[in-house]
Amino acid sequence: MKAVLGEMASPALDLNHALGQCARGDRAALRAIYDNEAPRMLGVAMRLLRRRALAEEAVHDTFLQVWRKADSFDPVRGDARSWLYAILRNRALNILRGETRTDLVEDFEPMGLVSDEENAEAVMLRLSDTGNLKRCLERLEPSRRQAITLAYIHGLTHGELAGRLGVPLGTIKSWIRRSLISLRECMA
């Protein structure tokens, strides 16, 4: 059994050497690191972020950072794997903090970034006319109602909402918090 597993396992990748090659612009070395570490990194990111899309984003951003900063890795100061996972951990924590992951732009349409999903107003209109939630949502300002529906129906984070709506992150957080309080009171 041990011999069979040994034959199936891929040879161990020397991460220190591969990072050195990345620092010299070797894309194949980055690909080798990715092939070797990405599945495990995705698992770590999933445990931290609990959403696959965010975990995939964190892993992707980590590898972008590895490509850009490979020359800053010093094997004398630490293990290559530890360096990779520190980058992943920091990226995941930034995502959890609601860091803006979209560029703040005035208009998404010219960039082809319009979502194929229903807009927030269309989702709200689909709610039952007699439903308490619809009645309570209608009491919110349109911009706050849009933020709530984008957050809770489409799963956008505070940072993504800030980017999409062109509003400061603190304002978005305040809108969400106050709107949820209003909805809770209305539904009671």
Side-chain angles (χ1 to χ4, degrees), residues 51-148:
R51 285 181 40 202
R52 185 167 185 91
L54 292 178
E56 288 172 352
E57 178 182 339
V59 171
H60 175 265
D61 291 353
T62 297
F63 278 97
L64 287 175
Q65 198 68 3
V66 167
W67 179 249
R68 289 185 199 126
K69 305 277 185 178
D71 60 340
S72 69
F73 171 68
D74 182 2
V76 173
R77 293 177 55 202
D79 178 59
R81 185 166 279 117
S82 298
W83 185 77
L84 290 171
Y85 284 85
I87 294 171
L88 175 66
R89 179 183 171 278
N90 289 336
R91 184 65 195 117
L93 290 175
N94 285 341
I95 290 171
L96 285 173
R97 288 184 195 114
E99 176 185 273
T100 302
R101 289 184 305 282
T102 56
D103 293 332
L104 295 175
V105 294
E106 293 293 321
D107 191 9
F108 282 89
E109 285 80 13
M111 298 176 65
L113 297 175
V114 177
S115 173
D116 292 335
E117 300 172 347
E118 285 183 285
N119 67 30
E121 290 299 314
V123 170
M124 199 201 80
L125 290 173
R126 278 194 304 113
L127 292 173
S128 168
D129 288 331
T130 59
N132 284 342
L133 180 58
K134 183 175 183 177
R135 180 179 49 80
C136 293
L137 281 168
E138 287 174 341
R139 292 182 179 179
L140 297 175
E141 290 179 28
S143 56
R144 292 178 187 206
R145 181 173 52 239
Q146 182 182 21
I148 287 289

Side-chain angles (χ1 to χ4, degrees), residues 19-71:
L19 282 172
Q21 293 299 103
C22 275
R24 289 186 279 289
D26 184 350
R27 292 177 188 262
L30 180 67
R31 181 62 192 204
I33 295 169
Y34 181 86
D35 290 343
N36 197 62
E37 295 297 321
R40 194 173 312 128
M41 292 174 99
L42 183 60
V44 169
M46 284 287 294
R47 282 194 301 275
L48 291 168
L49 298 168
R50 295 186 181 93
R51 285 181 40 202
R52 185 167 185 91
L54 292 178
E56 288 172 352
E57 178 182 339
V59 171
H60 175 265
D61 291 353
T62 297
F63 278 97
L64 287 175
Q65 198 68 3
V66 167
W67 179 249
R68 289 185 199 126
K69 305 277 185 178
D71 60 340

Side-chain angles (χ1 to χ4, degrees), residues 163-181:
R164 168 98 37 110
L165 300 176
V167 177
L169 182 60
T171 301
I172 286 293
K173 289 180 178 182
S174 177
W175 283 3
I176 297 291
R177 185 177 55 79
R178 289 182 182 151
S179 297
L180 289 176
I181 290 169

